[in-house]
Amino acid sequence: MGEIEDGEADHITTDVQGQKCALVCECTAPESVSRKDNLPFLNAVLKNPVCKLYRFPTSDNKWMRIREQMSESILSFHIPKELISLQIKEDLCRNQELKELGELSPHWDNLRKNVLTHCDQMVNMYQDILTELSKETGSSFKSSSSKGEKTLEFVPINLHLQRMHVHSPHLKDALYDVITVGAPAAHFQGFKNGGLRKLLHRFETERRNTGYQFIYYSPENTAKAKEVLSNISQLQPLIATHADLLLNSASQHSPESLKNSLKMLSEKTELFVHAFKDQLVRSALLALYTARPGGVLKKPPSPKNSTEESSSQDPPPPMRRQDSIPHHSDYDEEEWDRVWAHVGKSLNCIIAMVDRLIERDGSGEGDDGSGKDGEKGPSLGDSAITHPQEDWYEQLYPLILTLKDCMGEVVNRAKQSLTFVLLQELAYSLPQCLMLTLRRDVVFSQALAGLVCGFIIKLHTSLYDPGFLEQLHTVGLIVQYEGLLSTYSEEIGMLEDMAVGISDLKKVAFKITEATSNDVLPVITGRREHYVVEVKLPGRMFESLPLQIKEGQLLHVYPVLFNVGINEQQTLAERFGDVSLQESINQENFELLKEYYTVFMEKMPPDYISHFQEQNDLKGLLENLHQNIQAKKRKNVEIMWLAATICRKLNGIRFTCCKSAKDRTSMSVTLEQCSILRDEHQLHKDFFIRALDCMRREGCRIENVLKNIKCRKYAFNMLQLMAFPKYYRPPEGTYGKADT
């Protein structure tokens, strides 16, 4: 191709016959163009950059310089390995809890054994996959040709950062980032029976109509059970720690330290008590009681979720006190209330004792033995008599011991009953239930790897933007996915997988911490219902953050997906098939985007909002997007452009996805880059098509094709080109049946 010495050109030509472009040159040292990219923080997650330099004329015949860069991310493998390790740990813990469920009647015990057998097999499978991934020590890229490999199914396909750095004579330098990645989908498992959206709906419908031998718990109830179990595992050790700190303060005879320790203990204990004030726990306790040997109900209880009506096919269980707990003559319903109420009473007793100790220490007078709120505590607290000579530690120790004992009783009962709820979910349909879990884990892992990469890049580029940082901790971050999948054949299943995987990203929160070593790779904690990604920053970067973020506030993301199929299969779907999946996804996600916009307008300062409104009327863009979604126009690519524009105006993260992020994604990304140059940087109108062809012919995206299939050809045939919307067609000579 025509080289440009030192990245510059004196004239602009396009040699069509020779398929050369004199608008572009190679850049072997991308960091020399912008020192921002030379930070260890960014280089720790990006590698193998490919860079191209361009020079295009503006509408007033001046010149703009563009640097296009494409980089791989080592997070492609790092995040799946972190996630699989957590899921193995979670599943091993669940299996142990199932084993500790206690004695069950023969029917339920056989179900438990069957569940444990299958769950152990799943854990072994996850461990094998983790072992294989651990061997990929030097890998940072999964090619499109590897999307069907089982050992790599948790790894995102063709994940890259696509960056355009514009140096314009009219405006200050600008960066435009898009994360390109193959649609998160379970390619190895296939799409013969559809994707997650359809499979999950079918699974829940069948579970709802289950027979006598199972108890139906809705997805909301199952999720609630997992949440309470997680709260138990987090709060119990915290309370024990704060109780020990309280005793330590007592042994030091420090009133101020005693007050602070008591405050922390009270807060955590109140959270602990509140976690069990739920109808599901009471219902699960009775269900477990009836599953014990000798405990029989004519029909197992079917708890009703507060947000949904009970199934019309099933007769309602016997009601008592207008709840869903059936009556059993040998079961004491009030016993559970007494058990967890003892925790609160024990705390009141400790509060009363601390008040006495501090009061006597300050005034030397006795007390009346009453609690803080005028209520008498348990007998142990009433019988404790305080003398000035006695040790505070000795006075508080028996009360702390009582609190821990009461907590232990609550934890034991609650863990067993809620584990029984999870047993129902697993026991209904083995191995289908576990295979669905595997499929969802695979899709989520691919989606999460891309999200973490995008979050870190966005944080890096906006680290010194106070408005963005305030938006980050006040409102959260919008994450917009542009899908190019058709609603025909197997791509329907891919889109169904992708929709669920992106929606599941709502379960993810980010936390920024200060790096204590050179290792700045993110760390994941949590469980399937809630993950926290810890992003580490070097000290000088961490210090620039707002106080709320430095103190560990969780930062939330709001993922939205808009899909418009553009290939020949979408033509078939629009003429002979069904496009309702695409229509429903776009409508659902428009509502989510509108909700984010509403919160953004309510919480952000007026001066910050006015800055956005001066650039473009966000409300008008949203209305335009809604009209285009409602119009149901064929291959309405205006939807994608509007959604992308709104995302950029809202400081969001942009993703572009097709089946393998190679061909259709390349057409979309290059079109977006040239459109930005035209609309934001005054690219000369006569050179729009030339710039577009140049980027597609000689730019980073053709290098992406080469990396994936070892050939410089976009995988389009003539039939596909005829079906493409205008501007999505590659330049002549760059396409052919290079890949399927």
Side-chain angles (χ1 to χ4, degrees), residues 421-486:
V421 172
L422 302 185
L423 175 62
Q424 309 306 310
E425 178 189 41
L426 294 166
Y428 159 67
S429 181
L430 288 171
Q432 292 93 326
C433 177
L434 293 176
M435 292 307 296
L436 267 180
T437 300
L438 171 63
R439 189 182 193 100
R440 199 165 188 173
D441 286 346
V442 164
V443 175
F444 178 75
S445 174
Q446 296 178 27
L448 181 62
L451 174 65
V452 177
C453 178
F455 182 90
I456 290 177
I457 300 303
K458 184 65 180 179
L459 180 64
H460 171 262
T461 56
S462 306
L463 193 62
Y464 301 105
D465 180 352
F468 167 78
L469 294 175
E470 182 173 0
Q471 178 183 349
L472 182 60
H473 72 79
T474 303
V475 185
L477 194 59
I478 195 75
V479 183
Q480 185 252 328
Y481 289 80
E482 173 186 296
L484 301 166
L485 295 172
S486 70

Side-chain angles (χ1 to χ4, degrees), residues 276-305:
F276 299 109
K277 291 185 177 180
D278 192 277
Q279 181 68 26
L280 175 63
V281 183
R282 296 167 60 87
S283 172
L285 281 165
L286 176 54
L288 178 59
Y289 177 83
T290 61
R292 301 291 191 197
V296 179
L297 282 178
K298 292 183 179 179
K299 181 175 177 59
S302 181
K304 182 175 69 175
N305 186 276

Side-chain angles (χ1 to χ4, degrees), residues 78-79 82 86 511 519-525 532-536:
H78 173 75
I79 294 299
E82 285 270 311
L86 272 181
K511 180 180 179 180
D519 181 12
V520 293
L521 289 177
V523 176
I524 308 176
T525 57
V532 175
V533 181
E534 178 186 325
V535 176
K536 305 173 188 176

Side-chain angles (χ1 to χ4, degrees), residues 361-584:
D361 184 69
S363 65
E365 297 179 0
D367 59 80
D368 57 6
S370 62
K372 185 176 181 180
D373 300 320
E375 297 181 0
K376 291 187 176 182
S379 58
L380 181 58
D382 290 338
S383 62
I385 302 174
T386 308
H387 299 287
Q389 297 82 7
E390 290 181 335
D391 187 2
W392 285 8
Y393 182 94
E394 293 178 357
Q395 294 294 314
L396 283 172
Y397 179 76
L399 303 182
I400 294 295
L401 196 61
T402 301
L403 175 65
K404 290 182 177 180
D405 289 343
C406 292
M407 282 178 47
E409 180 67 18
V410 170
V411 167
N412 182 56
R413 290 173 182 245
K415 285 182 73 171
Q416 288 192 346
S417 62
L418 294 176
T419 299
F420 187 71
V421 172
L422 302 185
L423 175 62
Q424 309 306 310
E425 178 189 41
L426 294 166
Y428 159 67
S429 181
L430 288 171
Q432 292 93 326
C433 177
L434 293 176
M435 292 307 296
L436 267 180
T437 300
L438 171 63
R439 189 182 193 100
R440 199 165 188 173
D441 286 346
V442 164
V443 175
F444 178 75
S445 174
Q446 296 178 27
L448 181 62
L451 174 65
V452 177
C453 178
F455 182 90
I456 290 177
I457 300 303
K458 184 65 180 179
L459 180 64
H460 171 262
T461 56
S462 306
L463 193 62
Y464 301 105
D465 180 352
F468 167 78
L469 294 175
E470 182 173 0
Q471 178 183 349
L472 182 60
H473 72 79
T474 303
V475 185
L477 194 59
I478 195 75
V479 183
Q480 185 252 328
Y481 289 80
E482 173 186 296
L484 301 166
L485 295 172
S486 70
T487 53
Y488 187 83
S489 188
E490 67 173 12
E491 287 198 11
I492 296 178
M494 293 180 204
L495 183 56
E496 290 173 342
D497 275 0
M498 183 178 178
V500 173
I502 291 172
S503 178
D504 282 348
L505 293 177
K506 297 173 190 173
K507 302 182 292 189
V508 179
F510 288 85
K511 180 180 179 180
I512 302 177
T513 61
E514 184 175 3
T516 56
S517 67
N518 293 329
D519 181 12
V520 293
L521 289 177
V523 176
I524 308 176
T525 57
R527 55 186 175 82
R528 283 183 177 88
E529 299 303 315
H530 179 66
Y531 289 107
V532 175
V533 181
E534 178 186 325
V535 176
K536 305 173 188 176
L537 283 183
R540 63 182 180 81
M541 301 173 72
F542 182 78
E543 287 303 317
S544 67
L545 297 173
L547 181 62
Q548 297 93 328
I549 297 179
K550 288 196 290 187
E551 289 180 342
Q553 178 179 327
L554 294 182
L555 310 172
H556 297 280
V557 294
Y558 297 84
V560 293
L561 165 65
F562 294 94
N563 187 85
V564 177
I566 62 170
N567 65 358
E568 84 288 358
Q569 289 189 325
Q570 187 63 23
T571 302
L572 295 174
E574 289 170 343
R575 293 182 178 177
F576 310 111
D578 183 9
V579 296
S580 60
L581 173 63
Q582 176 173 285
E583 291 173 352
S584 61

Side-chain angles (χ1 to χ4, degrees), residues 576-645:
F576 310 111
D578 183 9
V579 296
S580 60
L581 173 63
Q582 176 173 285
E583 291 173 352
S584 61
I585 286 174
N586 289 343
Q587 183 59 47
E588 291 165 10
N589 284 271
F590 171 78
E591 297 300 327
L592 295 174
L593 180 59
K594 189 167 69 172
E595 288 176 14
Y596 178 87
Y597 166 77
T598 302
V599 176
F600 174 84
M601 297 297 289
E602 290 175 351
K603 292 189 175 182
M604 293 302 293
D607 56 339
Y608 190 67
I609 292 175
S610 64
H611 168 68
F612 277 78
Q613 301 293 32
E614 288 172 4
Q615 293 184 45
N616 203 326
D617 186 354
L618 282 171
K619 184 177 181 181
L621 287 170
L622 278 167
E623 290 174 352
N624 196 359
L625 176 60
H626 186 236
Q627 290 170 2
N628 275 275
I629 290 173
Q630 294 295 317
K632 299 182 180 180
K633 177 183 174 182
R634 290 182 179 178
K635 295 185 181 178
N636 189 358
V637 294
E638 187 73 10
I639 291 174
M640 295 189 293
W641 177 245
L642 286 167
T645 303

